[in-house]
Amino acid sequence: MALNVLYFAWVRERIGEPREKVETQAATVMELIEELRAREERYAMAFSDLSALRVAVDQELTEFDAALDGAREVAFFPPMTGG
Amino acid sequence: MRIVVQAEPFDFGAEANAFASGHTDMGAIVTFTGVVRDLPGDPLDRMVIEHYPGMTEKALESIAAEARERWSLGDVLVIHRHGEMRPGDMIMMVATAAPHRVDAFAAAEFLMDYLKSRAPFWKQEFTADGAEWVASKDEDEDALKRW
Protein backbone atom coordinates (compact mmCIF):
# COMPACT_ATOMS: atom_id res chain seq x y z
CA MET A 1 0.00 0.00 0.00
CA ALA A 2 1.15 3.54 -0.70
CA LEU A 3 0.88 5.91 2.24
CA ASN A 4 1.31 9.66 2.34
CA VAL A 5 3.54 10.28 5.33
CA LEU A 6 3.65 13.83 6.68
CA TYR A 7 6.05 15.43 9.16
CA PHE A 8 5.59 18.65 11.10
CA ALA A 9 7.69 21.02 13.22
CA TRP A 10 11.02 19.55 14.44
CA VAL A 11 10.11 16.11 13.09
CA ARG A 12 9.95 17.68 9.61
CA GLU A 13 13.32 19.36 10.23
CA ARG A 14 14.99 16.11 11.31
CA ILE A 15 13.58 14.11 8.41
CA GLY A 16 14.38 16.94 6.00
CA GLU A 17 11.09 16.99 4.12
CA PRO A 18 7.45 17.77 4.86
CA ARG A 19 5.92 14.74 3.16
CA GLU A 20 6.72 11.64 1.18
CA LYS A 21 5.02 8.62 -0.34
CA VAL A 22 5.95 5.38 1.40
CA GLU A 23 5.32 1.96 -0.08
CA THR A 24 4.74 -0.33 2.90
CA GLN A 25 3.07 -3.48 4.18
CA ALA A 26 3.08 -2.21 7.76
CA ALA A 27 -0.07 -3.27 9.63
CA THR A 28 0.26 -0.70 12.39
CA VAL A 29 1.79 2.73 12.99
CA MET A 30 4.49 1.04 15.10
CA GLU A 31 5.45 -1.27 12.22
CA LEU A 32 5.68 1.74 9.91
CA ILE A 33 7.97 3.47 12.43
CA GLU A 34 10.20 0.36 12.59
CA GLU A 35 10.47 0.35 8.78
CA LEU A 36 11.34 4.05 8.68
CA ARG A 37 13.87 3.72 11.52
CA ALA A 38 15.69 0.99 9.62
CA ARG A 39 15.98 3.14 6.49
CA GLU A 40 18.41 5.90 7.45
CA GLU A 41 19.97 7.60 10.45
CA ARG A 42 17.77 10.72 10.11
CA TYR A 43 14.65 8.58 10.62
CA ALA A 44 16.21 6.75 13.55
CA MET A 45 16.97 10.18 15.06
CA ALA A 46 13.48 11.56 14.48
CA PHE A 47 11.84 8.45 15.96
CA SER A 48 14.30 7.88 18.81
CA ASP A 49 11.93 9.00 21.59
CA LEU A 50 8.31 8.16 20.91
CA SER A 51 7.15 9.82 24.11
CA ALA A 52 8.03 13.12 22.39
CA LEU A 53 5.91 12.27 19.34
CA ARG A 54 2.26 12.20 18.41
CA VAL A 55 0.65 10.49 15.43
CA ALA A 56 -2.46 11.10 13.35
CA VAL A 57 -3.92 8.59 10.89
CA ASP A 58 -6.13 10.16 8.23
CA GLN A 59 -6.08 13.40 10.21
CA GLU A 60 -7.34 11.85 13.47
CA LEU A 61 -5.08 11.75 16.51
CA THR A 62 -4.40 8.14 17.48
CA GLU A 63 -1.98 5.77 19.27
CA PHE A 64 1.16 4.05 18.00
CA ASP A 65 -0.52 0.65 18.01
CA ALA A 66 -3.29 1.86 15.67
CA ALA A 67 -3.99 -0.28 12.61
CA LEU A 68 -3.18 1.08 9.16
CA ASP A 69 -5.57 -0.93 7.01
CA GLY A 70 -7.31 1.41 4.60
CA ALA A 71 -5.25 4.38 5.82
CA ARG A 72 -4.09 6.96 3.27
CA GLU A 73 -2.27 9.52 5.36
CA VAL A 74 -0.10 9.22 8.46
CA ALA A 75 1.37 12.29 10.16
CA PHE A 76 4.09 12.48 12.81
CA PHE A 77 4.64 15.56 14.94
CA PRO A 78 5.58 16.79 18.42
CA PRO A 79 2.91 17.58 21.04
CA MET A 80 0.82 20.47 19.80
CA THR A 81 1.24 24.02 21.04
CA GLY A 82 -1.72 26.02 19.80
CA GLY A 83 -3.71 28.78 21.46
CA MET B 1 -20.58 28.02 14.54
CA ARG B 2 -17.68 29.47 12.61
CA ILE B 3 -14.12 28.09 12.47
CA VAL B 4 -11.47 30.14 10.68
CA VAL B 5 -7.81 29.20 10.12
CA GLN B 6 -5.90 31.92 8.32
CA ALA B 7 -2.50 33.59 7.99
CA GLU B 8 -3.92 37.13 7.89
CA PRO B 9 -4.53 39.24 10.98
CA PHE B 10 -8.15 39.48 12.14
CA ASP B 11 -10.07 42.47 13.46
CA PHE B 12 -10.90 41.46 17.02
CA GLY B 13 -13.36 44.32 17.58
CA ALA B 14 -15.26 43.71 14.36
CA GLU B 15 -15.35 39.96 14.96
CA ALA B 16 -16.54 40.33 18.55
CA ASN B 17 -19.21 42.85 17.53
CA ALA B 18 -20.48 40.74 14.67
CA PHE B 19 -20.56 37.68 16.91
CA ALA B 20 -22.43 39.48 19.70
CA SER B 21 -24.99 41.06 17.39
CA GLY B 22 -28.17 39.51 16.13
CA HIS B 23 -29.05 37.28 19.08
CA THR B 24 -31.97 38.21 21.30
CA ASP B 25 -31.86 35.05 23.40
CA MET B 26 -28.17 35.02 24.37
CA GLY B 27 -27.58 36.81 27.66
CA ALA B 28 -23.82 36.18 27.75
CA ILE B 29 -20.98 36.60 25.27
CA VAL B 30 -17.47 35.58 26.36
CA THR B 31 -14.37 36.23 24.25
CA PHE B 32 -10.75 35.21 24.75
CA THR B 33 -7.83 36.45 22.67
CA GLY B 34 -4.32 34.98 22.63
CA VAL B 35 -1.49 37.45 21.97
CA VAL B 36 2.18 36.88 21.07
CA ARG B 37 4.10 37.59 24.27
CA ASP B 38 7.62 38.98 24.36
CA LEU B 39 10.15 36.92 26.30
CA PRO B 40 11.62 38.53 29.41
CA GLY B 41 15.41 38.66 29.10
CA ASP B 42 15.48 37.18 25.60
CA PRO B 43 13.57 39.54 23.30
CA LEU B 44 11.36 37.77 20.79
CA ASP B 45 11.83 38.85 17.21
CA ARG B 46 8.97 36.80 15.81
CA MET B 47 6.87 33.71 16.24
CA VAL B 48 6.03 31.36 13.39
CA ILE B 49 3.10 28.98 13.74
CA GLU B 50 3.00 25.86 11.61
CA HIS B 51 -0.20 23.85 11.22
CA TYR B 52 -1.62 20.78 9.52
CA PRO B 53 -4.04 22.02 6.85
CA GLY B 54 -7.15 19.86 6.81
CA MET B 55 -6.64 18.28 10.21
CA THR B 56 -6.56 21.68 11.90
CA GLU B 57 -10.05 22.60 10.71
CA LYS B 58 -11.39 19.13 11.56
CA ALA B 59 -9.89 19.20 15.06
CA LEU B 60 -11.27 22.67 15.79
CA GLU B 61 -14.70 21.71 14.49
CA SER B 62 -14.81 18.61 16.64
CA ILE B 63 -13.68 20.53 19.75
CA ALA B 64 -16.37 23.18 19.11
CA ALA B 65 -19.00 20.49 18.51
CA GLU B 66 -18.03 18.85 21.80
CA ALA B 67 -18.45 22.21 23.60
CA ARG B 68 -21.92 22.57 22.12
CA GLU B 69 -22.88 19.15 23.42
CA ARG B 70 -21.65 19.87 26.93
CA TRP B 71 -23.08 23.34 27.44
CA SER B 72 -26.13 25.23 26.39
CA LEU B 73 -24.58 27.46 23.72
CA GLY B 74 -26.13 29.58 21.03
CA ASP B 75 -22.98 30.02 18.99
CA VAL B 76 -19.21 29.41 18.91
CA LEU B 77 -16.48 31.25 17.01
CA VAL B 78 -12.83 30.15 16.72
CA ILE B 79 -10.26 32.10 14.70
CA HIS B 80 -6.64 30.86 14.73
CA ARG B 81 -3.78 32.28 12.71
CA HIS B 82 -0.72 30.53 11.32
CA GLY B 83 2.46 31.91 9.79
CA GLU B 84 4.60 34.76 11.06
CA MET B 85 3.64 37.04 13.97
CA ARG B 86 5.36 39.69 16.09
CA PRO B 87 5.10 40.44 19.83
CA GLY B 88 1.74 42.08 20.51
CA ASP B 89 0.04 40.48 17.50
CA MET B 90 -3.15 38.54 18.11
CA ILE B 91 -2.75 34.81 17.46
CA MET B 92 -6.28 33.60 17.96
CA MET B 93 -9.66 34.23 19.52
CA VAL B 94 -12.59 32.20 20.73
CA ALA B 95 -16.05 33.53 21.43
CA THR B 96 -19.03 31.78 22.98
CA ALA B 97 -22.64 32.89 23.22
CA ALA B 98 -24.97 31.35 25.77
CA PRO B 99 -28.19 32.25 27.53
CA HIS B 100 -26.24 32.41 30.81
CA ARG B 101 -22.66 33.38 31.62
CA VAL B 102 -21.67 30.19 33.47
CA ASP B 103 -22.01 28.19 30.25
CA ALA B 104 -20.32 30.86 28.12
CA PHE B 105 -17.27 31.05 30.44
CA ALA B 106 -16.94 27.29 30.92
CA ALA B 107 -17.23 26.57 27.19
CA ALA B 108 -14.62 29.24 26.36
CA GLU B 109 -12.18 27.69 28.86
CA PHE B 110 -12.86 24.21 27.55
CA LEU B 111 -12.23 25.38 23.97
CA MET B 112 -8.94 26.99 25.00
CA ASP B 113 -7.74 23.97 26.97
CA TYR B 114 -8.50 21.61 24.12
CA LEU B 115 -7.24 23.66 21.24
CA LYS B 116 -3.94 24.24 23.04
CA SER B 117 -3.02 20.57 23.00
CA ARG B 118 -5.41 18.87 20.55
CA ALA B 119 -5.39 21.18 17.53
CA PRO B 120 -2.35 20.65 15.29
CA PHE B 121 -0.48 23.93 15.67
CA TRP B 122 3.22 24.24 16.52
CA LYS B 123 4.85 27.46 17.65
CA GLN B 124 8.43 28.36 16.87
CA GLU B 125 10.09 31.35 18.53
CA PHE B 126 12.88 33.37 16.91
CA THR B 127 15.24 35.35 19.14
CA ALA B 128 18.80 36.67 18.78
CA ASP B 129 19.92 33.16 19.89
CA GLY B 130 18.16 31.48 16.99
CA ALA B 131 14.97 29.48 16.51
CA GLU B 132 13.34 27.24 19.07
CA TRP B 133 10.19 25.10 18.94
CA VAL B 134 7.95 25.86 21.90
CA ALA B 135 7.68 22.77 24.12
CA SER B 136 4.28 21.63 25.30
CA LYS B 137 3.72 21.92 29.04
CA ASP B 138 2.59 19.13 31.33
CA GLU B 139 0.05 21.51 32.84
CA ASP B 140 -1.58 21.94 29.42
CA GLU B 141 -2.16 18.18 29.27
CA ASP B 142 -3.27 18.14 32.93
CA ALA B 143 -5.76 20.91 32.17
CA LEU B 144 -7.75 18.47 30.01
CA LYS B 145 -8.38 16.17 32.96
CA ARG B 146 -10.74 18.59 34.65
CA TRP B 147 -13.22 18.26 31.79
Side-chain angles (χ1 to χ4, degrees):
Chain A
M1 100 186 127
L3 277 179
N4 286 310
V5 182
L6 281 64
Y7 310 107
F8 292 96
W10 59 254
V11 185
R12 170 178 55 72
E13 291 176 341
R14 282 189 200 174
I15 303 283
E17 50 201 335
R19 61 162 64 219
E20 61 183 324
K21 263 217 155 62
V22 174
E23 195 56 50
T24 178
Q25 297 307 316
T28 63
V29 171
M30 201 56 225
E31 285 183 28
L32 174 66
I33 291 173
E34 294 301 345
E35 279 182 22
L36 293 170
R37 273 175 175 160
R39 271 187 171 185
E40 279 177 56
E41 184 57 25
R42 61 194 167 111
Y43 292 95
M45 288 276 292
F47 292 105
S48 61
D49 177 11
L50 293 189
S51 71
L53 286 182
R54 301 289 180 270
V55 60
V57 173
D58 290 333
Q59 304 190 350
E60 294 273 352
L61 214 53
T62 186
E63 305 294 328
F64 291 109
D65 59 4
L68 287 180
D69 42 284
R72 293 160 53 184
E73 187 170 293
V74 178
F76 295 103
F77 41 77
M80 295 158 272
T81 52
Chain B
M1 178 166 105
R2 193 159 75 95
I3 307 291
V4 182
V5 180
Q6 64 182 32
E8 300 73 35
F10 58 88
D11 182 336
F12 171 72
E15 293 289 352
N17 263 320
F19 183 82
S21 308
H23 307 287
T24 52
D25 50 350
M26 295 295 127
I29 307 290
V30 164
T31 67
F32 171 87
T33 315
V35 178
V36 179
R37 189 164 50 99
D38 206 352
L39 305 168
D42 188 12
L44 181 71
D45 177 58
R46 64 190 188 279
M47 171 182 278
V48 175
I49 299 182
E50 183 171 330
H51 80 119
Y52 182 173
M55 180 174 166
T56 309
E57 291 80 359
K58 276 191 208 174
L60 293 175
E61 274 162 24
S62 103
I63 294 165
E66 172 81 20
R68 299 191 74 153
E69 275 183 30
R70 290 181 181 225
W71 291 279
S72 167
L73 298 176
D75 203 0
V76 174
L77 168 67
V78 179
I79 302 176
H80 204 302
R81 295 180 61 198
H82 57 88
E84 192 173 302
M85 282 154 250
R86 305 269 167 185
D89 287 353
M90 293 183 194
I91 305 170
M92 53 82 58
M93 70 174 286
V94 301
T96 54
H100 304 289
R101 75 173 187 279
V102 173
D103 285 348
F105 272 121
E109 277 214 276
F110 169 88
L111 288 166
M112 285 312 304
D113 281 350
Y114 266 81
L115 77 81
K116 251 189 132 54
S117 41
R118 290 292 182 272
F121 291 101
W122 300 276
K123 293 185 179 123
Q124 194 176 24
E125 291 173 339
F126 291 77
T127 66
D129 293 338
E132 198 159 335
W133 291 99
V134 173
S136 65
K137 299 189 190 81
D138 289 343
E139 65 231 47
D140 290 339
E141 196 60 35
D142 291 345
L144 303 186
K145 291 178 187 147
R146 64 180 166 140
W147 306 108

